[in-house]
Amino acid sequence: MAKTALITGVTGQDGSYLSELLLDKGYTVHGLIRRSSSFNTERIDHIYQGPEEENRSFLLHHADLADGVALVNLLRDIRPDEVYNLGAQSHVRVSFDAPLYTGDITGLGTVRLLEAVRASGIDTRVYQASSSEMFGANPPPQNERTPFHPRSPYSVAKVYSYWSTVNYREAYGMFAVNGILFNHESPRRGETFVTRKITRGVARIKAGLQTHLHLGNLDAVRDWGYAPEYVEAMWRMLQCDAPDDYVVATGEGVSVRQFLEYSFAHAGLDWREHVRYDAKYERPSEVDALIGDATKAEELLGWKPVVRSRELAGIMVDADIRQLSDQLAGAAVRVDR
Ligand code: NAP
Ligand code: G4F
């Protein structure tokens, strides 16, 4: 029989790719969306508004990780085989400005969901979106045995969620896993994360719409992979015989400066002529270097990364140039009328 999944954070980068993956595998996919005063379904509109056959397998429900009762009701109604908890206030810099909100959604939200699974009495497997940010100050390479040293309200909340997931596994025998994912990007990445900010900036500079890009710390090193490959690892974790926790990463560390070089060079530009420093993008405490060791995922899940950061920068720059030229063409048509 076809499986059913519930995804929190379905409107985000990973939620959209995971929806596509599960629909391709024949799942019925339920997405939790929160009410917004403006459209927040841009990344999934192509699925939701797709062919009728696909529509019946992709259903959206209004709820919020702040609302535990809504979560229980939703789980009782849907009775999913798998739950993917991708919903979060996921921006590290923002978490310093909104630490309580971040703790509530990114931390307590996970416990509300785990409790809702327990309270509804359903037999479901739970994936928790844990993060390499939890390693924080501990130097690379980081793997499943590296201790956590979180450096932001966001990563503190993720550590709480990580241990809650382990605790529900140990205390109640729940099939609950942590995917400790290192940074992963794509053309659907939020515009305020550094990779997308850079590739979007390249497209706008190339088109003559802006001359400069303002950034913070260029020395930080991240292990940037390709999001569509990472959602495959999430799914594989829930297909195992026993629940466990896995690091997912490429193993390649690249500085923000290097990613700038790749992105600008791909469009035939020199980043030094266009980038300005702005202290407002610095964090009160920074994570200097994250480079993952995904040996366990490779051995036990058979998962291997393909796209590396230079190629990733090219994919994202090309997509942003295409998107901008489509937007400009659309605007020109509207002016003509
Ligand atoms: P994202 O694009 O920022 O998406 C976050 C999602 O969470 C959005 O759908 C957002 O809804 C939803 N959300 C926010 N607050 C919520 C609330 N109160 N109730 C319900 N949903 C809420 O994040 P992503 O990059 O896809 O990442 C997915 C998950 O993996 C996140 O938990 C993130 O922290 C974690 N993670 C990401 C990475 C990475 O490199 N991308 C690495 C490790 C871990 P709206 O669209 O309405 O805002
Ligand atoms: O793109 P970022 O904001 O991503 P960050 O902080 O690594 O967090 C992302 O990855 C985590 C996994 O490790 C996820 F858990 C989390 O949800 C999120 O997806 O920043 C990357 C680096 C930082 O060191 C930052 O200081 O880029 C540096 N940076 C320099 N200038 C900037 C900027 N970051 C942003 N967002 N904007 C800047 O202008």
Side-chain angles (χ1 to χ4, degrees), residues 8-16 32-36 40-41 43 63-66 85-91 101 105-106 127-133 154 158 179-185 188-190 193 224 227 230 234:
T8 74
V10 72
T11 54
Q13 171 188 257
D14 292 3
S16 66
L32 183 159
I33 58 168
R34 57 181 179 155
R35 169 4 205 187
S36 162
N40 64 349
T41 55
R43 295 186 182 100
D64 198 299
L65 284 165
N85 185 30
L86 311 184
Q89 189 305 90
S90 72
H91 202 283
Y101 176 75
I105 302 306
T106 307
Y127 172 88
Q128 167 57 21
S130 283
S131 167
S132 51
E133 275 289 306
Y154 166 80
K158 283 287 184 187
I180 308 173
L181 271 52
F182 281 62
N183 299 51
H184 46 281
E185 322 290 310
R188 295 185 199 168
R189 184 57 144 151
F193 295 97
W224 279 297
Y230 283 45
M234 295 177 187

Side-chain angles (χ1 to χ4, degrees), residues 1-4 19-29 57:
M1 213 175 76
K3 281 190 182 173
T4 299
S19 297
E20 288 172 353
L21 179 90
L22 297 180
L23 287 167
D24 278 352
K25 290 186 184 297
Y27 280 60
T28 298
V29 176
S57 311

Side-chain angles (χ1 to χ4, degrees), residues 116-331:
V117 168
R118 203 166 75 86
S120 55
I122 56 171
D123 184 18
T124 186
R125 298 184 166 201
V126 180
Y127 172 88
Q128 167 57 21
S130 283
S131 167
S132 51
E133 275 289 306
M134 301 186 304
F135 298 125
N138 272 325
Q142 294 104 352
N143 65 22
E144 295 81 3
R145 293 177 302 283
T146 306
F148 298 144
H149 184 149
R151 298 266 289 166
S152 64
Y154 166 80
S155 46
V156 170
K158 283 287 184 187
V159 170
Y160 176 64
S161 285
Y162 171 94
W163 282 116
S164 299
T165 303
V166 172
N167 182 240
Y168 274 67
R169 185 161 81 210
E170 292 175 356
Y172 306 116
M174 201 180 274
F175 194 112
V177 309
N178 284 290
I180 308 173
L181 271 52
F182 281 62
N183 299 51
H184 46 281
E185 322 290 310
S186 73
R188 295 185 199 168
R189 184 57 144 151
E191 287 89 346
T192 60
F193 295 97
V194 77
T195 54
R196 185 76 199 288
K197 184 172 167 182
I198 291 170
T199 61
R200 211 167 154 263
V202 168
R204 291 177 61 80
I205 290 167
K206 187 84 182 161
L209 295 177
Q210 71 186 60
T211 52
H212 292 102
L213 185 61
H214 292 85
L215 294 170
N217 176 18
L218 304 188
D219 295 324
V221 169
R222 292 291 183 272
D223 176 334
W224 279 297
Y226 188 39
E229 295 174 9
Y230 283 45
V231 299
E232 168 81 25
M234 295 177 187
W235 175 76
R236 289 190 186 204
M237 286 177 216
L238 290 194
Q239 313 313 309
C240 291
D241 291 337
D244 206 346
D245 309 315
Y246 300 89
V247 158
V248 176
T250 70
E252 180 196 68
V254 162
S255 67
V256 174
R257 185 176 290 99
Q258 187 84 58
F259 196 88
L260 269 173
E261 262 168 33
Y262 293 158
S263 304
F264 277 78
H266 188 78
L269 298 167
D270 182 349
W271 71 273
R272 285 171 206 81
E273 291 170 12
H274 300 284
V275 174
R276 297 275 181 276
Y277 173 72
D278 189 332
K280 85 168 175 235
Y281 297 112
E282 295 272 358
R283 287 131 196 229
S285 45
E286 174 65 287
V287 169
D288 294 332
L290 295 172
I291 307 170
D293 164 15
T295 307
K296 181 175 171 185
E298 288 186 24
E299 287 179 0
L300 300 184
L301 303 177
W303 180 88
K304 243 179 157 12
V306 178
V307 173
R308 303 302 160 106
S309 50
R310 186 193 290 269
E311 189 187 349
L312 176 64
I315 291 171
M316 291 174 69
V317 166
D318 287 344
D320 273 319
I321 288 176
R322 239 183 352 259
Q323 193 186 71
L324 185 61
S325 93
D326 289 351
Q327 273 167 13
L328 294 174

